[in-house]
Amino acid sequence: MLKTLLRNAPLRNKILTAALAIPAVALTAQTALAGKTDFRVYNGSSMTLTHLYVSDSSLDSWDNDILGQSVLPSGYNIQVVFSDPSPNRCLYDVRAIFADGQVLEDYRINVCNSSDYTFFDE
């Protein structure tokens, strides 16, 4: 079973950085405003992450898959850049689908207080 960990400090276990690393993905071309922090999603699990959704908690549906046609292999990370014009909108939901079909959802993540979000094996 997979779990998540939300931390303020950088991930301490190895993060692979290679030419083939997944590029940073912006929800739109705008940059984030003060107060809201772009955050990095780490796949510290043993499974490949195939779909990743990050949506404003006030919405009743998921935004688009920010991985698109890419995947997030074990040990890799991706930068999530917010385009929301409100710097005070801090609560977001995260939905991940892994290669084995397992779905993990986490709600009301305060992105104003943390810059890291990590999936890991239990």
Side-chain angles (χ1 to χ4, degrees):
M1 176 184 273
L2 296 169
K3 286 190 153 192
T4 58
L5 172 67
L6 187 60
R7 301 191 319 191
N8 290 323
L11 184 68
R12 293 197 170 133
N13 39 347
K14 66 181 180 179
I15 304 292
L16 300 176
T17 53
L20 298 177
I22 296 174
V25 174
L27 298 177
T28 72
Q30 292 181 344
T31 58
L33 300 173
K36 184 183 301 179
T37 303
D38 296 338
F39 74 101
R40 189 160 293 277
V41 174
Y42 295 93
N43 185 0
S45 76
S46 59
M47 295 294 303
T48 296
L49 203 152
T50 59
H51 298 84
L52 179 63
Y53 305 89
V54 178
S55 300
D56 185 319
S57 292
S58 68
L59 300 176
D60 291 332
S61 62
W62 294 104
D63 284 335
N64 294 329
D65 176 9
I66 62 173
L67 295 178
Q69 298 298 313
S70 298
V71 296
L72 189 62
S74 176
Y76 283 74
N77 65 82
I78 188 169
Q79 178 82 24
V80 177
V81 179
F82 293 102
S83 63
D84 184 335
S86 172
N88 297 323
R89 184 165 286 156
C90 295
L91 300 178
Y92 283 80
D93 300 336
V94 174
R95 182 175 200 253
I97 302 174
F98 292 85
D100 66 352
Q102 189 172 183
V103 177
L104 182 94
E105 294 180 352
D106 200 357
Y107 303 99
R108 301 181 62 79
I109 304 303
N110 189 331
V111 300
C112 293
N113 292 340
S114 182
S115 60
D116 295 336
Y117 189 90
T118 302
F119 295 99
F120 64 96
D121 293 331
E122 187 171 43

